[in-house]
Amino acid sequence: MSGKLALGIDIGGTNVKLALVNEAGEVIASESVPTEPERGAEAFCREVAATAKKMTAQAGIAWEAVIGVGVGMAAFLDVERGWIEESVNLHWRDVPLGEMLTRELGKPVRVDNDANVAALGEVWLGAGRNANTALCVTLGTGVGGGIVINGRIHRGVTNMAGEIGHIMVKNDGELCNCGHHGCLETLASATALSRHAEQAGLVGKEGRELTSKEIFEMAEAGNAKAKAVVDDMIHWLAVGLSIGANILNPDVIVIAGGVVNAGDALIQPLRKEFNHEALARVARACTIVPAKLGSQAGVLGAARLVLQEIETV
């Protein structure tokens, strides 16, 4: 076994993933439990702590060998305090999560945004490996983003750096959940793609909503309506990415989320459109690649966060 061990925790709306990770990025043990946020934060922390300790013991490792705990979750956070200001998914507000988990686990805890830790994971072990400046974008229910510079998360003054989904790219666009109109999230998320396909009269069997993969497959098969929906999504995604890239001048943009299952049908036209939208010197230096780590990115990035920060104290 290699060096220090950290516990990575990825808190989702439905499940919580836990992984014990060493300095080489090897997962020594892993577990998943239901989130069940309705039981409250205190009960949640007790359950997660019990699961973590049981998992570690079953792997034959003393809990004392774990140097700290990293947590990633979708929320507005005070990262310094490990404080959840608001989590829409969990319906929690003003929760001192870091303090609660420290009390239950007896370890230092670092809490960060899920997009940030996923980006850190991809730069550490995935598609953005060895990048100097990486912009990682997740196309899911919304459009999330994380920025990693010189191997470390760039958070901004109020921990809001990387919110690329809320760049307004279309002045007369749809209303976004953030209250503005025409955000990238309303045009390029997996949710938006499915919604726009339905608006175009495209539906799956028995009238169900089409998945992103199905819409791309229909477009490749020559369905004109599906192709128009896909082309529109790729155009606006390229516009949003070009804005981010013109500011950051990254060497890599990593695209994550279910839409990436479309493979080259997404990446190749996106690259072409991005080259058209971004400054030439920016575009030439930047590669656009699909994420590699999938659902593991969050726990690996959360563990990496701890391994980095413990090294500096």
Side-chain angles (χ1 to χ4, degrees):
M1 193 179 301
S2 176
K4 298 173 183 175
L5 291 172
L7 177 67
I9 302 176
D10 181 11
I11 303 174
T14 304
N15 294 300
V16 182
K17 299 182 185 73
L18 301 91
L20 198 61
V21 182
N22 67 17
E23 286 181 290
E26 298 168 332
V27 175
I28 308 304
S30 63
E31 188 60 83
S32 177
V33 295
T35 307
E36 298 176 345
E38 64 278 0
R39 61 187 160 167
E42 290 281 3
F44 169 86
C45 289
R46 284 194 297 271
E47 173 70 15
V48 167
T51 301
K53 291 177 181 178
K54 181 180 178 182
M55 177 186 75
T56 303
Q58 288 176 340
I61 296 167
W63 182 242
E64 290 72 25
V66 179
I67 64 169
V69 180
V71 180
M73 65 179 300
F76 293 120
L77 302 164
D78 180 334
V79 172
E80 292 297 320
R81 293 193 298 161
W83 191 285
I84 300 172
E85 295 179 348
E86 183 180 10
S87 171
V88 175
N89 289 346
L90 306 186
H91 304 290
W92 289 353
R93 185 186 292 269
D94 296 327
V95 175
L97 186 70
E99 180 183 312
M100 288 179 175
L101 284 173
T102 296
R103 187 165 60 246
E104 294 292 338
L105 292 164
K107 300 289 181 182
V109 176
R110 304 289 186 267
V111 182
D112 212 318
N113 180 271
D114 60 339
N116 284 347
V117 297
L120 187 60
E122 286 289 346
V123 170
W124 183 29
L125 298 167
R129 198 164 190 165
N130 300 321
N132 176 274
T133 302
L135 172 61
C136 301
V137 179
T138 302
L139 308 177
T141 304
V143 175
I147 299 167
V148 178
I149 299 174
N150 295 326
R152 296 190 178 259
I153 295 168
H154 176 72
R155 299 184 179 91
V157 176
T158 59
N159 305 307
M160 295 294 286
E163 288 289 347
I164 192 169
H166 297 290
I167 291 176
M168 290 189 291
V169 294
K170 189 177 182 184
N171 292 336
D172 59 347
E174 299 171 41
L175 179 66
C176 181
N177 290 331
C178 73
H180 292 132
H181 287 265
C183 289
L184 184 61
E185 186 166 293
T186 68
L187 295 156
S189 64
T191 304
L193 184 64
S194 295
R195 183 174 66 251
H196 294 155
E198 185 176 7
Q199 289 169 355
L202 300 169
V203 292
K205 293 179 181 178
E206 299 177 355
R208 66 171 176 79
E209 188 177 83
L210 291 165
T211 65
S212 299
K213 186 171 184 290
E214 288 171 331
I215 297 165
F216 270 88
E217 287 173 348
M218 290 172 70
E220 284 193 283
N223 185 298
K225 289 182 179 179
K227 188 175 187 309
V229 170
V230 165
D231 287 350
D232 192 60
M233 176 262 191
I234 288 173
H235 166 72
W236 290 114
L237 179 57
V239 170
L241 294 181
S242 71
I243 293 170
N246 284 350
I247 294 168
L248 291 173
N249 194 191
D251 41 335
V252 66
I253 295 174
V254 179
I255 310 293
V259 178
V260 170
N261 291 331
D264 287 344
L266 168 68
I267 298 299
Q268 289 184 3
L270 177 60
R271 174 80 241 188
K272 183 178 179 180
E273 193 73 10
F274 175 78
N275 288 348
H276 175 72
E277 296 291 338
L279 288 169
R281 282 173 61 85
V282 170
R284 281 198 299 269
C286 179
T287 58
I288 300 177
V289 293
K292 287 184 178 178
L293 300 181
S295 62
Q296 288 285 86
V299 287
L300 289 169
R304 178 60 173 167
L305 186 63
V306 170
L307 293 167
Q308 284 183 332
E309 296 198 0
I310 294 297
E311 288 172 0
T312 63
V313 297

